């Protein structure tokens, strides 16, 4: 209401100013420039002709308007006046629309700010005419809240993980120092006892190295920006090579790999990054599979894609865990000292690499059989 009153007030002032200008112009022409205007009008729009002045037949001269020239003048004045009026109406309407638009933008901004900062019912903030905007704002707000909640949960998992790792670092480090101190203090220790202490110290040192590597993995993931360098990759050779690299871990766990992939199978991608994907998946399959069970790796072609399946026999993963299995810092086993409890980044990194290749990665688990499906474009 206040804005409408302000607009009408300005309109009235503008009209009064226009009338005042017209009066001043009339006064200027009629009084100050009177002689000059008459001379100009007489010269251009009056003409003299001879005519009989009375019944006696006397001839004389008559000064009268040149109606043809006068009509042209009136037409030009009328055209100018109408054009000026149209231009004035256009400018005033544009000014009014601009002011109205600015007012609406400010009002909408205030309502959006109020909606985003408070938890009030949206019907109390947005009028009915803003129903479309309110629906979109609520959708954006809900997405932001979900994203914020995910970030909070991710940060909490990361902090918990770092706390656990920091605590776990003390145990193997204390053991290493203790056994090395015993070896240093007793140089004449029996060889059998010395070998046993050395083996324990080495085992604890390896555990310590793994925990430190997990710290580096977290730091490296937070700082890195994955950039792909694509080329034609021999997928069969890549999987064979990874299987050979995991031979000690497979043997220690009693697992075997059954590779069913065409020897001519190739894919266009970054070989180093794809190797990291299948390295993480194969390591995950070994850690969570039952001992003395096979791990199957198969590949099949689609119309324009290749599907790689990595399947292992192990404890069934719940549906709730499957929804978070590719999240950063998520671990299936939250035990603080478990050898299988990594930093929870392997599958998250795998998903990011596969997504950058234009593919997808999913997991399913049922009846003690877990399958990871990697889909890559050909």
């Amino acid at each position: 209401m206040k804005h409408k009153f302000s607009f009408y007030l300005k309109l009235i002032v503008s009209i009064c100013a226009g009338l005042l200008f017209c009066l001043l112009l009339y006064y200027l022409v009629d009084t100050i420039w009177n002689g000059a205007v008459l001379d100009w009008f007489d010269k251009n729009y009056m003409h003299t002709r001879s005519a009989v002045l009375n019944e006696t037949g006397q001839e004389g001269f008559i000064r009268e308007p040149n109606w043809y020239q006068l009509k042209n003048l009136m037409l030009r004045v009328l055209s100018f006046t109408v054009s000026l009026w149209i231009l004035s109406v256009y400018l005033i309407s544009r000014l009014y629309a601009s002011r109205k638009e600015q007012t609406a933008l400010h009002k909408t901004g205030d309502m959006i700010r109020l909606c985003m900062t408070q938890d009030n019912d949206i019907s109390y903030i947005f009028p009915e005419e803003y129903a479309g905007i309110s629906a979109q704002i609520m959708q954006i707000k809900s997405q932001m809240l979900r994203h914020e909640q995910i970030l909070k949960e991710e940060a909490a998992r990361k902090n918990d993980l770092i706390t656990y790792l920091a605590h776990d670092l003390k145990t193997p480090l204390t053991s290493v120092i203790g056994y090395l101190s015993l070896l240093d203090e007793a140089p004449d220790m029996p060889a059998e006892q010395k070998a046993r202490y050395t083996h324990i110290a080495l085992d604890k040192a390896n555990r310590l190295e793994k925990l430190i590597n997990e710290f580096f993995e977290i730091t490296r993931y937070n700082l890195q920006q994955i950039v792909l360098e694509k080329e034609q990759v021999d997928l069969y050779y890549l999987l064979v090579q990874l299987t050979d690299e995991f031979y000690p871990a497979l043997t220690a766990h009693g697992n075997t790999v059954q590779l069913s992939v065409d020897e001519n199978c190739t894919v266009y991608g970054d070989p180093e990054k794809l190797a990291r994907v299948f390295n993480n998946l194969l390591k995950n399959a070994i850690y969570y599979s039952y001992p003395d069970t096979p791990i199957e790796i198969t590949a099949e072609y689609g119309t324009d894609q290749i599907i790689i399946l990595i399947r292992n026999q192990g404890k069934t993963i719940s549906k709730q865990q499957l929804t978070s299995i590719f999240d950063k810092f998520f671990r299936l086993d939250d035990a603080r000292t478990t050898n299988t409890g990594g930093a929870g980044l392997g599958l998250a990194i795998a998903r990011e690499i596969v997504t950058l290749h234009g593919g997808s990665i999913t997991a399913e688990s049922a009846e003690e059989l877990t399958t990871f499906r990697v889909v890559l474009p050909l």
Side-chain angles (χ1 to χ4, degrees), residues 232-251:
Q232 205 67 26
V233 181
D234 188 336
L235 187 60
Y236 173 78
Y237 176 76
L238 175 64
L239 294 174
V240 170
Q241 189 177 22
L242 286 175
T243 303
D244 292 339
E245 292 176 1
F246 276 100
Y247 179 78
L250 289 165
T251 303

Side-chain angles (χ1 to χ4, degrees), residues 178-189:
Y179 283 105
L180 290 178
S181 298
L182 291 174
L183 291 171
D184 183 63
E185 294 172 358
D188 56 347
M189 182 182 299

